[in-house]
Amino acid sequence: MRRNWWIPFRNPFRGNPFRGGLFRRMVASYALVTVLSFLLLGTLVSRMIERYYIRSTTQDLLASGSQAATAFQSFLEDRIDASSLQQKLSLEEHSSGILFLVIPVGADLPAKLELWAHPSGNEFTSSELQAIGSGHQVAKFGQIPGHAGETISVAVPILTGGQAVGAVSIHAPFLALRQTIQAVIRIIWISAALALALAVVLTYWNSWRIAGPLIRLAGLAREVARGNFGVRLPETSADEVGRLAASFNHMAAELERQEAMRGDFLASVAHELRSPLTSIRGFSRAILDGTAGPEQQAHYLEIIRSEADRLARLTGDLLDLAQFDAGQMHLARAAMDLNELARRVMASLTPQVEAARLDLELATDIFPIMVLADRDRVEQILANLLNNAVRYSPPGGRIDIRIRRDDRVARVDVSDKGVGIPPEDLFRIWERFYRVDKSRSRALGGTGLGLALVKELVEAHGGTVGVESALGKGTTFWFTLPLV
Ligand SMILES: Nc1ncnc2c1ncn2[C@@H]1O[C@H](COP(=O)(O)OP(=O)(O)OP(=O)(O)O)[C@@H](O)[C@H]1O
Ligand SMILES: [Mg+2]
């Protein structure tokens, strides 16, 4: 197997996230969000500035207008003369850059105010003039004739004896404010561009971190598909990407392990097939070329037959296991009596039991013990366990089968007084081809598949299997099956 440990480290910048759709989608969404937020921000901020500016300018203008109106009032009531009035007005005009003009409301202007009269009438509507005439201050914002651009206009009535005899009108152009707002919007757009650039950089970095490993993962997945299970991703982060890398590595390790197991399994199969085939070839050749005498010929044929039997059993077991592996083992379950089945299996074993001078006993209820199971398969389970017990018992020994109801299951125990199994082998005997004593088992015709198949079969029925053994004293195998 090729092991390319170096693959993940070939080039850390391999897997350009700019190429994939992920990066483009992420940049597009970040850009959209950035532009939209700044657009919203710009609109809101310029509106707010505009409103604030209009309100505060209007208040300032009204305050100046009120002062001027009071000055005009004092002048009209002869408390100050024209020069000190002009002085007051000039002072204010100079500091705030506005011009105080007097407009008539209703009647003509008093002659004393002619000097400050608006040269071209006024910019207020008749209803506004009416409001001013009844002593109210008026302020408005917008385009007015004779002025370029938007203007804030206020008018403050000049009162004498509680009567409005005219009004101070002030106009402040909005141009400066427009320029301020434009400057603010420019700043906002520059920030937006900077934020966008930052978003692109961050997105690139982020998507490199996400898409980079994904692209590498895709490459390694192709390696795995080609059968190179040695590849691994570096597990550098603890986030989702890191967890994905860990899962991938776990999968690759598992595949590698299974591949190794499959290799071992195939080697074992080939090995098990070879020794019976070798004997069959050898003995048949001896018969054919006449080296074996008539006596020996019968003996050799007997060996050939038993080796052929063994091959048949081996291939049968392998086929069954393959069916389990492919998930295609179908059980023809039906209600059946365990006691009756046990007696039949015992009867079929009589020749071997008698040959080994064994004592085979069955202890059970007199009533049938009905289980829901595939008859042939249960027979296979029991025959395997009994065969083992016979095989691994010394001549003259005793084998006990015990069948009983146990809660919701039927339990079958097969005990022998044979060689026993060492504790360190106990948990491995269920593995395929595992034999405690290889040469002894093979000499006895075993391949080490029996218990593996027993376990699969019992578990397919929803039962459990187990073993207890004491070395040199004996072994008990047990299994359960669901009662009807
Ligand atoms: N009753 C037993 N007493 C002692 N050892 C046993 C007993 N049953 C099984 N074993 C040990 O467990 C091993 C695995 O048993 P298993 O039935 O799977 O294989 P096998 O009997 O060697 O061959 P097969 O059953 O495929 O013909 C045996 O090789 C043997 O070492
Ligand atoms: Mg066996």
Side-chain angles (χ1 to χ4, degrees), residues 13 16-18 23 27 199-209:
F13 294 99
N16 176 9
F18 277 126
F23 173 72
V27 166
V200 170
V201 170
L202 282 181
T203 313
Y204 177 75
W205 183 72
N206 248 334
S207 59
W208 184 80
R209 263 172 39 89

Side-chain angles (χ1 to χ4, degrees), residues 214-263:
L214 288 184
I215 293 167
R216 256 174 293 153
L217 181 73
L220 293 197
R222 277 195 295 275
E223 285 289 320
V224 167
R226 262 184 243 129
N228 180 9
F229 302 126
V231 294
R232 298 288 184 274
L233 271 175
E235 293 171 36
T236 43
S237 57
D239 55 11
E240 288 81 351
V241 174
R243 287 214 296 275
L244 183 65
S247 304
F248 175 85
N249 288 345
H250 179 71
M251 180 196 76
E254 191 55 30
L255 284 172
E256 194 173 24
R257 198 181 63 83
Q258 283 186 7
E259 177 69 14
M261 262 171 57
R262 206 173 53 185

